[in-house]
Amino acid sequence: MSELPAKPVKKPKRVLPERFVSYKGVWVFIEHEHGHVHPVSWELLGKGRELADKLGVELAGVLIGAPGPKIAALAGETFAYGADLCYLMQDAVLHDYRNQAYTAAITTLVNTYQPEILLLGATTQGRDLAGSVATTLLTGLTADCTGLEIDLADRSMLSSRPTFGGSLMCTIVNLATRPQMATVRPRVMPLPVKDPKRPGRIVEHAFDLAEESIVTKVIDFIPDSRADKPQLAFADYIVAGGRGMGKPENFDLLFSLAKTLGAEVGASRPAVHAGWADAERQVGQSGKTVRPKFYLAAGVSGAIQHRVGMEGADVIAAINVDANAPIFDFSNYALIGNALELLPALQTAFAARLAQTRARVTRSAPKEE
Amino acid sequence: MHIAVCIKQVPDSAQIRVHPVTNTIMRQGVPAIVNPFDLFALEEALRIKDRTGARVTVLSMGPPQAEDALKKCISLGADDAILVTDKAFSGADTLATSYVLAAALRTLHEKQPLDLVFTGKQTIDGDTAQVGPGIAIRLGYQLLTYVSRIAKIDVQDSRIVVERRAEGGVQVLESRLPAVITMLEGTNTIRFADMPGMFTAARQQTQHWNREAIGITDLTQVGLKGSPTVVAQVFAPKPKAVRALRIEGETPAAMAEAFVDKLFTDYPQLEEALLEHLDQLAAQEQQS
């Protein structure tokens, strides 16, 4: 990657219409399904806090769902993660996520309380909802942002995102409509530190659509059995393979090493396209964004498409026969050699080392019984 | 039954390079393809056609050369192709794009009523997944995104049952036609074009619809003017400050051993966390 200075931000001349000038505050949509908040919502509260502080406005969580003790508890959690207030809309109609009902709920809240920024997670729910809300409100929406900043000169949000499959980054602005909307992928922003004592206030607003007016009905929900689906996005240890793995059978070497490390197996786009690995395992711009403690890339060239999905890893090691492979530009360790030979060797080395450390720890700290 | 499939012609992003000096996209020689995600949508529509004899119209907003992508869809079995093209449409973001596509779909609906509109899950160049929802809102159709299976369609009764990928599971939804479906990838396998299909594609005229043809008079809604979002800056991704440390070793075994030693010397907390993680996994396994 060339180290070119970025061209300066060049904004088109657009004036914010008078009716939007009073729009204030940063909102984060709190996504929850079946009682679980998607962690991306807390990550967004962390980022939202930064933006709100810079603008000198309040940060709000937006919580929509069926009434009950669960949702009230979630409101408290939004404060712990940094929100000053929480807009709460509870109604039995909102029990399951449905596009029509949730779009109506959010647009009502936006039109009533008028925020300048609205952030959502780039999940299946967040993207479904964001596109519908933005079109209903006729406002701008930027998908899959990796960076959000405030330009204090005009209070606009600068949303950065990868474009053209990650070959380039671009900064997008929305100067003449409000709210400025953006979706952000899970694990792109760090999880903020939780402060359970942080106070906040709840603003409740009634939902005014009856069940009869919601066309689509949820007739069943089939949860993924955790065992047979890779949980890549939240894995702390990942070993990934690319085109350099040569053929599908060679992915067995990765699965074998993964077992030793308790890791998930990831794959680059070419490997997934070649059918060597399941699409669920794809890491990168058109796959998953991961943020593991340790990421090992074997036979991955390091195309930007892959890089944007994994460069947030704490420690990255890469195996490649080509010493000039771009992957080494953003790895901590370079193992230059044949992945098919190195992977079994690594498995042996890791197993030996871990067994040794475990033995030493047990010896030096005998059990108290 | 009438099905529209919205497709986009995109540059094959796997082959895109950035010019090292000017920092701009080098489009020369990059092949244009049908957005791969759209092919899953087309295949699903064609399967409904195979079962029910439905009419399948493919539609795309784009420059004149996007006709090639539409012809490809005809060769695979679509009945009609419409290119929505007008200089005024260029520079559109997703909001302005959904405005134009919705206008074109309304025009199409007047000619033969629509039951379903299919799109891909997202494009590979924009990656936004916003146009499908945008079309549904503008047309007032039901929106069914990330559909992995169409379980039932009852045109008489205007009902549809689909399975949709949600976070942590699959939602089974019953909804009403007309609906906009964005199809999940990997849910079917696109057929190959056969010889008669290729001949049809070569022979058949693609209809070109400009803004007058779809009744657009308000030019503030389309193209750059109708786009609230504007690209203010383009830049190369930030290079990571560290350059990888090269691990030496005569043999793979020696290199592996040197690496593991160096890794856990540099990051002792990583070794600790890893051991704890493995203990947890072992405990979980014992429980189940």
Side-chain angles (χ1 to χ4, degrees):
Chain A
M1 192 46 51
S2 52
E3 291 186 51
L4 285 164
K7 287 178 188 163
V9 176
K10 238 175 91 182
K11 287 186 187 171
K13 284 198 182 70
R14 286 191 181 180
V15 182
L16 188 66
E18 195 57 42
R19 68 195 155 105
F20 289 129
V21 174
S22 60
Y23 277 55
K24 286 274 148 45
V26 178
W27 285 15
V28 171
F29 172 68
I30 307 298
E31 173 175 339
H32 62 105
E33 228 161 350
H34 302 273
H36 298 284
V37 171
H38 197 296
V40 70
S41 306
W42 305 144
E43 293 160 18
L44 283 175
L45 280 177
K47 188 70 201 182
R49 186 70 262 164
E50 258 178 65
L51 302 182
D53 288 345
K54 186 125 191 219
L55 285 164
V57 295
E58 287 190 311
L59 172 67
V62 179
L63 199 48
I64 294 170
K70 256 186 191 164
I71 199 155
L74 293 184
E77 277 205 82
T78 65
F79 307 142
Y81 281 110
D84 300 306
L85 70 160
C86 182
Y87 291 101
L88 179 62
M89 204 175 235
Q90 38 184 347
D91 194 300
V93 178
L94 300 165
H95 184 274
D96 292 301
Y97 174 74
R98 284 180 294 175
N99 178 272
Q100 189 192 350
Y102 274 56
T103 301
I106 298 264
T107 46
T108 301
L109 288 173
V110 166
N111 287 329
T112 310
Y113 300 101
Q114 310 190 332
E116 58 198 302
I117 289 171
L118 170 57
L119 308 177
L120 302 92
T123 60
T124 52
Q125 191 188 110
R127 283 175 170 231
D128 183 279
L129 183 59
S132 306
V133 169
T135 311
T136 308
L137 296 169
L138 298 175
T139 192
L141 165 62
T142 306
D144 276 359
C145 299
T146 53
L148 298 171
E149 276 174 70
I150 297 295
D151 182 353
L152 273 181
D154 58 1
R155 296 177 68 87
S156 67
M157 180 166 70
L158 306 173
S159 312
S160 302
R161 72 184 301 263
T163 182
F164 281 100
S167 328
L168 274 181
M169 299 289 296
C170 64
T171 302
I172 290 173
V173 291
N174 167 15
L175 301 173
T177 59
R178 291 292 178 267
Q180 305 163 85
M181 289 180 62
T183 63
V184 177
R185 287 216 188 177
R187 312 286 271 175
V188 168
M189 306 295 175
L191 193 68
V193 179
K194 195 173 173 180
D195 176 4
K197 286 193 218 96
R198 237 182 140 271
R201 62 183 203 281
I202 292 176
V203 177
E204 219 175 318
H205 195 97
F207 183 66
D208 58 2
L209 283 181
E211 180 57 45
E212 298 77 63
S213 56
I214 311 295
V215 175
T216 299
K217 309 289 175 196
V218 179
I219 53 181
D220 201 2
F221 184 83
I222 309 156
D224 297 331
S225 51
R226 293 195 119 251
D228 61 358
K229 281 268 176 213
Q231 302 289 324
L232 212 54
F234 300 102
D236 279 332
Y237 308 91
I238 295 174
V239 293
R243 214 199 299 260
M245 292 302 291
K247 52 182 177 182
E249 299 84 84
N250 291 339
F251 260 71
D252 292 347
L253 298 175
L254 289 167
F255 280 99
S256 190
L257 173 61
K259 201 155 177 11
T260 301
L261 297 177
E264 281 286 358
V265 173
S268 71
R269 186 168 72 174
V272 169
H273 278 197
W276 300 353
D278 196 61
E280 290 275 326
R281 298 197 180 279
Q282 189 179 325
V283 173
Q285 159 82 353
S286 47
K288 301 247 177 344
T289 302
V290 297
R291 229 184 154 84
K293 294 191 170 105
F294 176 66
Y295 190 93
L296 176 74
V300 175
S301 66
I304 295 147
Q305 143 77 237
H306 188 73
R307 174 180 170 173
V308 295
M310 46 66 82
E311 64 182 339
D314 294 346
V315 182
I316 300 169
I319 304 174
N320 207 297
V321 280
D322 176 8
N324 296 317
I327 187 108
F328 295 129
D329 293 340
F330 51 96
S331 301
N332 303 82
Y333 300 100
L335 285 81
I336 295 153
N338 183 347
L340 307 184
E341 291 172 3
L342 276 165
L343 286 171
L346 280 171
Q347 192 181 346
T348 310
F350 269 115
R353 165 74 184 227
L354 292 171
Q356 206 182 14
T357 309
R358 206 183 284 279
R360 200 180 55 230
V361 172
T362 321
R363 254 203 319 277
S364 61
K367 287 197 178 132
E368 279 173 37
E369 298 155 292
Chain B
M1 188 177 184
H2 188 199
I3 304 171
V5 182
C6 298
I7 65 142
K8 186 182 182 188
Q9 187 184 48
V10 296
D12 188 348
S13 73
Q15 301 191 38
I16 280 189
R17 299 286 173 270
V18 178
H19 194 281
V21 179
T22 58
N23 209 10
T24 52
I25 296 280
M26 303 189 336
R27 289 164 195 268
Q28 295 92 334
V30 176
I33 54 172
V34 179
N35 173 42
F37 291 125
D38 297 345
L39 292 175
F40 297 107
L42 177 63
E43 176 61 28
E44 206 58 34
L46 293 175
R47 286 182 184 190
I48 297 173
K49 177 187 170 179
D50 293 344
R51 285 201 304 274
T52 66
R55 181 165 197 83
V56 175
T57 304
V58 280
L59 191 117
S60 186
M61 182 182 97
Q65 58 269 30
E67 193 172 317
D68 294 344
L70 289 166
K71 282 206 176 275
K72 165 90 180 164
C73 299
I74 293 286
S75 77
L76 293 168
D79 298 293
D80 286 300
I82 296 160
L83 180 66
V84 187
T85 186
D86 195 308
K87 282 217 171 76
F89 299 161
S90 69
D93 72 355
T94 55
L95 193 71
T97 301
S98 70
Y99 182 85
V100 169
L101 285 174
L105 287 163
R106 265 185 223 111
T107 308
L108 187 62
H109 181 77
E110 279 161 25
K111 294 179 196 287
Q112 185 184 352
L114 280 167
D115 301 289
L116 274 175
V117 177
F118 275 100
T119 74
K121 153 184 117 153
Q122 64 194 58
T123 60
I124 60 164
D125 58 347
D127 268 319
T128 69
Q130 285 164 200
V131 174
I135 292 170
I137 292 290
R138 291 191 185 271
L139 293 176
Y141 288 9
Q142 287 302 302
L143 172 65
L144 305 165
T145 53
Y146 304 102
V147 168
S148 54
R149 194 169 88 91
I150 297 175
K152 207 171 125 190
I153 301 180
D154 184 345
V155 180
Q156 240 64 54
D157 217 17
S158 286
R159 304 304 300 175
I160 184 166
V161 177
V162 301
E163 292 177 8
R164 143 171 213 276
R165 170 117 294 271
E167 293 297 318
V170 173
Q171 251 186 349
V172 185
L173 298 175
E174 188 185 50
S175 192
R176 192 173 64 201
L177 300 177
V180 172
I181 290 180
T182 82
M183 209 60 208
L184 195 67
E185 79 277 21
T187 44
N188 55 36
T189 312
I190 185 74
R191 60 197 63 193
F192 288 101
D194 55 11
M195 282 309 270
M198 288 189 223
F199 283 127
T200 310
R203 242 187 354 253
Q204 192 167 331
Q205 289 284 315
T206 302
Q207 300 179 56
H208 285 222
W209 289 1
N210 59 12
R211 59 179 191 263
E212 285 92 14
I214 55 175
I216 289 180
T217 48
D218 184 0
L219 291 185
T220 63
Q221 300 289 319
V222 302
L224 209 54
K225 274 193 196 139
S227 302
T229 62
V230 186
V231 176
Q233 185 189 29
V234 176
F235 57 100
K238 225 190 294 158
K240 204 161 177 165
V242 292
R243 174 81 200 169
L245 177 78
R246 187 171 174 163
I247 306 288
E248 304 290 344
E250 291 287 317
T251 61
M255 194 189 281
E257 212 169 298
F259 164 64
V260 173
D261 190 55
K262 181 75 182 141
L263 174 70
F264 290 150
T265 308
D266 291 351
Y267 300 95
Q269 73 280 17
L270 179 66
E271 185 173 21
E272 247 169 71
L274 182 58
L275 281 167
E276 202 172 299
H277 168 68
L278 287 166
D279 286 345
Q280 271 172 12
L281 285 182
Q284 267 170 28
E285 207 153 286
Q286 239 167 22
Q287 265 177 17
S288 62

